[in-house]
Each structure stands twice: as structure tokens, then as C-alpha cells.
Amino acid sequence: MMGKLTTHVLDTMAGKPAAALSIALYRIDGERALLKEVMTNLDGRVDAPLLAGPDLETGTYELLFKAGDYLRAHNAALSDPAFLDEIPIRFSIANPDQHYHVPLLLSAYGYSTYRGS
């Protein structure tokens, strides 16, 4: 079985996928190392797994969602400075043969996440 890491962002204020939201993926191994930067597509997903197969290793990772940029681009009513600007979600991969799906449900003043499938 080949494991993979995926994400999906939903804009709960607009009730639709969050298209064109920038995401950075980091590996945390003593230091924070940038692995890649991606942008969500029209469905609020990225076009390919963030990591898959041998690139997905046991360890700690962080997804950094650039929520403030996305919300400002969609004319959300934000405080100055924005309550949520960058949203880091730090998680661990225990079994790299599994599918790890880390979705983000986003609004201007709150968010939630979970391990999806």
C-alpha cells in the first residue's frame, strides 16, 4: 500500500471550496524545513498529493495555510490586523503506508480540522 498526504480547504463563510489559497508544507525535525508550496484548485484541493510513497516518512509535519491572503482577496470583513492570518496545523505521521488527509474548514474568525480519509 502506498501512503499519501492530502488536504482540502472549505470556506465555511461562503459555503464553497477555498480556491487559490496558498499552503506551505514543512517537515519538523529539530528545525522547520520547507518541503513545498502549493495553491488550492477550484475544488479547494491541490492537484496532487502533498507527499506520497517514499516521500511520506514517519515524523512531524506542518501545513501553513495563508488564510489572511485568501480572505482579503475574497473581500471578507476582517479586523486590522486580521484575527486569523496564517493557520499552522502541526501533525505527525505514524504509519507512512496510510492515507493522511488534513482538511481545513475556514472562516474569518475560526477554523477546524481533523484527520480525514
Side-chain angles (χ1 to χ4, degrees):
M1 176 180 243
M2 184 173 85
K4 63 183 174 179
L5 172 63
T6 58
T7 190
H8 185 201
V9 185
L10 297 172
D11 180 336
T12 59
M13 292 184 341
K16 63 181 184 179
L21 188 144
S22 179
I23 305 167
L25 172 64
Y26 295 89
R27 167 108 178 164
I28 311 298
D29 190 15
E31 294 183 20
R32 187 175 179 232
L34 178 65
L35 298 179
K36 65 172 58 175
E37 293 182 285
V38 295
M39 185 79 65
T40 57
N41 60 24
L42 292 175
D43 194 34
R45 301 175 187 274
V46 295
D47 292 329
L50 295 164
L51 294 173
D55 293 332
L56 183 65
E57 300 176 338
T58 300
T60 302
Y61 295 85
E62 181 178 286
L63 287 170
L64 183 65
F65 297 87
K66 308 288 179 78
D69 292 345
Y70 166 82
L71 292 166
R72 281 186 284 279
H74 290 83
N75 299 315
L78 302 177
S79 58
D80 186 19
F83 179 69
L84 295 174
D85 191 28
E86 294 184 340
I87 299 172
I89 298 177
R90 192 167 285 190
F91 58 96
S92 295
I93 302 292
N95 184 344
D97 292 329
Q98 294 182 355
H99 180 190
Y100 286 78
H101 183 66
V102 184
L104 179 70
L105 305 175
L106 170 67
S107 78
Y109 292 94
Y111 67 92
S112 66
T113 190
Y114 55 93
R115 180 176 174 193
S117 59

